[in-house]
Amino acid sequence: MGLAENYNMIKVSISWQLFHKPIKTILSISNILFLLISTPFTNYLIHIHGLIIVNYLDSEKYAYLKHAPINEESSVPIIDLSAPNVVALVGNACQVWGMFHVINHGVSSSLVDDVDSRARQLFSLSTQQKLKTLRAPGGATGYGAARISPFFSKLMWHEGFTIIGSAVEHAKELWPHDYEEFCNVMDIYQKKMKSLAYQILLLILKFLDTTQEKEEKMISTTSIYGSEGALQLNSYPCCPDPNRAIGLAPHTDSLLLTILHQSETNGLQIHRNGVGWLPVPPVSGALVVNIGDLLHIMSNGRFPTVYHRVVPNQNKHRISIAYFYGPPADSIVGPLSKLPFPRYRSLTVKEYISLKSKHLERALSLIKI
């Protein structure tokens, strides 16, 4: 049973009016929904996915995004990682856009296609089967809603599956006798993404002219390269009325870099000040890279951390695969020491993630000096 079917089922049994009320009101109706606003999200919230009404940005803090026009004229740059001036190209893209496509990235199209296919296989399972891998309270991996969901009073037309390291534990629940191939493909892809993210990070630090011993130590194999990263499989099913829904609400990513594979279906958009919402259509053979909050901090605000969102599609099921790359939780992150007049205080990754989980877009302002 898909999301649309689940939504119809729950609409009949609970009533339409409930979906127009804030989340905290919905929470009181039954234990089925009581953990909807917790992190990570657990229980059967997936049954009511899909209703963010037009005014999904209820808070005034998002007013400047809510009414921004869509602009079709500009486009996110495409960078060939084999280009002789790749450092300048990547650095400029980071400064101007905070996002770029990469080609000649060394990740085979067959591997990307295989990961995409495995993700579709997972999300095509019945809801009952997928719920066997629902994120446990306090857990980080498995099936569930977007982690930004508690900050919005309506739900999103989205389901996700998070992998950190091996996927064996959850894969065995989904395919008891045929889980090895799924796990092998995800393991290989994570290793490729980790290597590519490290390569791109080195280009960025080179652009910032990072030569001091402190920074060199920071990117050693025991710190950033020692991070496992997280792989997020995203599903945005066909939406009966995409003008009255949102796939993924506006947000910024928390870590250093995100590397995204998006299927051939449009949906990703970024917000540019003074321009509005800009579609980021898929580019054949390319991966999308965007700057996260931690790299914004390290660059002392020189690189923007970009608001992005996903809009649903009426006719096509959209799949995307995101790899989130950052240092270990106990690492200390702050503006690079060679950059003058630091705008942010240094803090551990764990501390920043905690701030973000409580305050979302206000987290950066809370660490300003």
Side-chain angles (χ1 to χ4, degrees):
M1 185 181 293
L3 290 185
E5 290 86 349
N6 280 323
Y7 157 65
N8 289 330
M9 175 187 70
I10 208 77
K11 181 176 70 173
V12 172
S13 61
I14 296 182
S15 87
W16 169 265
Q17 286 76 17
L18 286 173
F19 290 97
H20 294 269
K21 296 181 180 181
I23 283 176
K24 290 182 180 178
T25 302
I26 297 175
L27 288 178
S28 64
I29 65 173
S30 76
N31 290 333
I32 291 177
L33 305 177
F34 86 101
L35 286 176
L36 184 59
I37 61 170
S38 68
T39 300
F41 314 108
T42 58
N43 237 301
Y44 295 90
L45 66 150
I46 198 63
H47 285 286
I48 59 168
H49 263 200
L51 266 231
I52 288 190
I53 306 305
V54 169
N55 294 325
Y56 66 93
L57 295 175
D58 301 300
S59 173
E60 292 181 1
K61 64 192 176 185
Y62 289 108
Y64 72 101
L65 296 178
K66 179 178 176 181
H67 301 292
I70 292 179
N71 185 291
E72 303 275 359
E73 298 178 359
S74 302
S75 59
V76 172
I78 302 172
I79 297 175
D80 185 340
L81 290 183
S82 66
N85 60 337
V86 65
V87 170
L89 292 173
V90 168
N92 288 330
C94 289
Q95 287 187 133
V96 176
W97 288 88
M99 176 180 283
F100 50 94
H101 299 273
V102 291
I103 58 174
N104 286 324
H105 42 64
V107 183
S108 70
S109 59
S110 61
L111 176 58
V112 174
D113 290 344
D114 204 357
V115 172
D116 188 290
S117 175
R118 301 289 174 178
R120 291 180 187 276
Q121 177 189 12
L122 186 154
F123 291 119
S124 69
L125 296 172
S126 68
T127 300
Q128 181 180 7
Q129 189 73 0
K130 287 180 287 189
L131 287 173
K132 293 179 180 180
T133 64
L134 203 61
R135 293 190 196 109
T141 60
Y143 179 70
R147 294 184 180 280
I148 60 173
S149 295
F151 293 93
F152 300 90
S153 62
K154 304 295 189 297
L155 299 178
M156 302 177 200
W157 200 269
H158 165 272
E159 56 182 332
F161 189 89
T162 308
I163 300 170
I164 300 177
S166 174
V168 168
E169 181 180 353
H170 286 129
K172 282 183 175 180
E173 293 288 336
L174 299 174
W175 305 284
H177 306 295
D178 189 24
Y179 61 88
E180 292 93 346
E181 281 302 310
F182 178 89
C183 295
N184 290 340
V185 170
M186 296 303 159
D187 287 347
I188 294 169
Y189 191 75
Q190 287 186 88
K191 290 175 183 176
K192 286 287 187 180
M193 288 297 101
K194 181 177 179 179
S195 178
L196 177 59
Y198 187 60
Q199 175 189 350
I200 293 171
L201 180 63
L202 292 179
L203 294 173
I204 291 171
L205 294 177
K206 190 172 183 179
F207 177 81
L208 292 171
D209 194 24
T210 301
T211 57
Q212 298 189 27
E213 181 179 349
K214 181 178 179 181
E215 273 76 80
E216 291 177 356
K217 182 178 180 180
M218 181 188 64
I219 63 171
S220 69
T221 56
T222 58
S223 55
I224 287 179
Y225 194 70
S227 175
E228 284 190 323
L231 191 64
Q232 176 71 23
L233 314 182
N234 298 303
S235 169
Y236 305 92
C238 299
C239 180
D241 192 352
N243 293 324
R244 303 185 69 236
I246 188 71
L248 198 59
H251 66 285
T252 64
D253 292 341
S254 300
L255 301 181
L256 291 169
L257 294 172
T258 302
I259 302 178
L260 178 76
H261 156 68
Q262 48 178 345
S263 59
E264 297 179 356
T265 304
N266 291 329
L268 178 63
Q269 297 178 350
I270 63 169
H271 184 269
R272 284 174 61 75
N273 293 334
V275 177
W277 285 108
L278 176 66
V280 185
V283 174
S284 180
L287 297 168
V288 180
V289 179
N290 69 271
I291 301 301
D293 295 351
L294 295 187
L295 196 49
H296 172 79
I297 294 168
M298 286 174 55
S299 71
N300 202 29
R302 187 172 174 180
F303 299 155
T305 182
V306 182
Y307 274 94
H308 52 285
R309 69 182 184 182
V310 176
V311 295
N313 190 290
Q314 187 170 11
N315 301 312
K316 293 184 178 181
H317 182 187
R318 182 178 186 271
I319 292 290
S320 71
I321 316 292
Y323 181 78
F324 301 105
Y325 181 69
D330 294 330
S331 301
I332 296 175
V333 175
L336 299 175
S337 60
K338 70 162 291 165
L339 301 177
F341 311 112
R343 296 173 54 188
Y344 300 101
R345 67 177 177 87
S346 296
L347 74 171
T348 64
V349 173
K350 184 188 301 182
E351 183 182 356
Y352 181 74
I353 297 302
S354 176
L355 285 173
K356 187 80 177 276
S357 68
K358 296 173 183 175
H359 305 287
L360 198 59
E361 87 292 342
R362 291 185 57 234
L364 285 171
S365 66
L366 296 176
I367 62 170
K368 279 189 173 180
I369 297 176

